[in-house]
Amino acid sequence: MENKTRALHDFLVENAENFTETWFSLQQIKTGSDYSKDAPEAVVKRIKEQNANYVRLTARSLLQTDEEMQKTISAWTSQTAADRVKSQTSLEEVVRNSGVFRQVYWTYIRKFAESTDLEITAKDVFEWERTINTTLDYVIETFTEYFMKILLNRLSSQAELIKELSAPVIALSDDLGLLPIIGDIDTTRAKQLMQSTLEQSLETRISTLVIDLSGVVMIDTMVAQQFFQLIASLKLIGVKSILTGMRPDVVQTAVQLGIDFSELQTENSLRSLLKKLTRVSN
């Protein structure tokens, strides 16, 4: 059995390139896909090299313990998953091609059985089936795990960046900061603004924060309450708040909703406020 398994391993390794050409011939035309027959030459070359290496690694599992196979495959799938995410290949395409790869693999095992002088028994085939299918299943399992982990980490990073960009506290001087707010504000974003603003105000060590609302189109009672909580929280950490740039329609809506800004320092515009602050500093 060991000699026959070694012979199968050598056959698969020697035919890795032929295997890959057979596998690639079964690909479809799908513009933009790394697996497409009309993909750029450099992309096709890279995909074929990866696939041929995949053939060799899978063949190597015939001679490895399960623990050795898992270590080898995990190293390969972690790199390949990162490459597929980078090229924006969908998981659906990867899974489909995994099925094609498995089909071609068994075609080449049959070619080996038909061409070798060794006596291949049903027991041999069943043992190879267990090893090869276990390896291919582990490839899909680990590839999917790495693929999704990379995507989720990327989404988390993007969400964090969006959160930071949605509430950037800009340091205008050592003690003066500016929070320009643009776009619609709902309760969820208002809560994010509060957390981010408090953190950034502490980090920059400002004593006064100008909250510019000139880019806010609409405000409701719930959002106004969030702003009052933000201003109160800023006061607790020693930061004075000044509101600027409230649009007439926003002011009118606030009055209709019974929102009272009378106890807060407000300015018509950021420009007029900065002029006042400049005169004071001079």
Side-chain angles (χ1 to χ4, degrees):
M1 175 69 182
E2 183 178 345
N3 290 338
K4 288 181 280 189
T5 300
R6 170 66 69 175
L8 173 59
H9 165 272
D10 294 345
F11 176 84
L12 292 169
V13 170
E14 291 168 3
N15 285 276
E17 282 74 20
N18 293 332
F19 179 112
T20 295
E21 292 302 326
T22 302
W23 169 81
F24 192 75
S25 70
L26 297 175
Q27 300 307 310
Q28 304 169 348
I29 297 293
K30 187 176 181 181
T31 302
S33 169
D34 277 7
Y35 296 109
S36 179
K37 288 184 178 181
D38 65 351
E41 184 178 347
V43 172
V44 172
K45 181 180 179 181
R46 186 184 79 249
I47 290 295
K48 286 184 176 181
E49 288 175 350
Q50 290 176 339
N51 191 82
N53 191 36
Y54 184 15
V55 174
R56 299 184 189 100
L57 292 178
T58 307
R60 188 186 304 174
S61 70
L62 290 163
L63 309 176
Q64 294 176 314
T65 64
D66 285 348
E67 292 74 17
E68 290 171 336
M69 175 275 289
Q70 291 175 2
K71 184 177 180 180
T72 300
I73 293 301
S74 291
W76 184 83
T77 51
S78 63
Q79 295 176 354
T80 309
D83 187 70
R84 294 295 177 272
V85 171
K86 184 178 180 180
S87 64
Q88 298 184 338
T89 303
S90 70
L91 191 57
E92 179 184 0
E93 287 185 87
V94 173
V95 172
R96 184 187 71 80
N97 273 282
S98 175
V100 175
F101 184 91
R102 190 185 299 255
Q103 174 188 342
V104 177
Y105 218 96
W106 281 104
T107 298
Y108 272 77
I109 292 177
R110 186 181 67 186
K111 287 184 178 182
F112 166 76
E114 293 173 347
S115 63
T116 183
D117 293 332
L118 298 170
E119 182 181 353
I120 307 301
T121 66
K123 182 180 179 181
D124 296 329
V125 175
F126 283 127
E127 184 61 27
W128 294 336
E129 184 274 339
R130 185 200 69 80
T131 302
I132 295 298
N133 283 341
T134 296
T135 300
L136 296 180
D137 289 343
Y138 190 72
V139 168
I140 285 298
E141 177 186 337
T142 54
F143 181 92
T144 302
E145 178 185 355
Y146 288 125
F147 188 91
M148 294 306 298
K149 185 179 293 185
I150 293 170
L151 280 183
L152 290 174
N153 286 340
R154 177 176 292 183
L155 288 173
S156 178
S157 298
Q158 291 175 343
E160 191 64 30
L161 177 61
I162 290 172
K163 184 191 297 185
E164 292 177 2
L165 292 176
S166 66
V169 173
I170 303 169
L172 299 179
S173 66
D174 291 341
D175 58 356
L176 178 64
L178 169 66
L179 175 64
I181 301 178
I182 301 172
D184 295 335
I185 306 293
D186 56 17
T187 53
T188 300
R189 187 184 175 198
K191 290 178 181 178
Q192 293 175 346
L193 281 169
M194 176 184 291
Q195 180 180 351
S196 178
T197 302
L198 290 173
E199 291 175 354
Q200 293 181 69
S201 295
L202 285 170
E203 289 174 2
T204 55
R205 299 182 180 182
I206 57 175
S207 59
T208 302
L209 179 64
V210 179
I211 303 175
D212 182 40
L213 301 177
S214 59
V216 176
V217 179
M218 183 177 66
I219 191 170
D220 60 23
T221 305
M222 293 297 293
V223 172
Q225 289 176 350
Q226 292 290 333
F227 272 112
F228 281 122
Q229 289 180 22
L230 170 60
I231 292 168
S233 298
L234 286 169
K235 186 175 181 180
L236 289 175
I237 63 173
V239 179
K240 176 185 176 182
S241 301
I242 303 175
L243 296 181
T244 67
M246 290 187 65
R247 297 155 57 101
D249 49 345
V250 173
V251 174
Q252 185 176 1
T253 301
V255 171
Q256 292 173 350
L257 292 173
I259 300 172
D260 184 12
F261 291 98
S262 61
E263 295 185 4
L264 300 177
Q265 180 177 346
T266 60
E267 292 291 338
N268 180 50
S269 68
L270 179 60
R271 178 181 296 181
S272 62
L273 173 63
L274 292 178
K275 285 183 178 180
K276 288 182 180 179
L277 292 175
T278 301
R279 284 198 295 270
V280 171
S281 63
N282 292 335

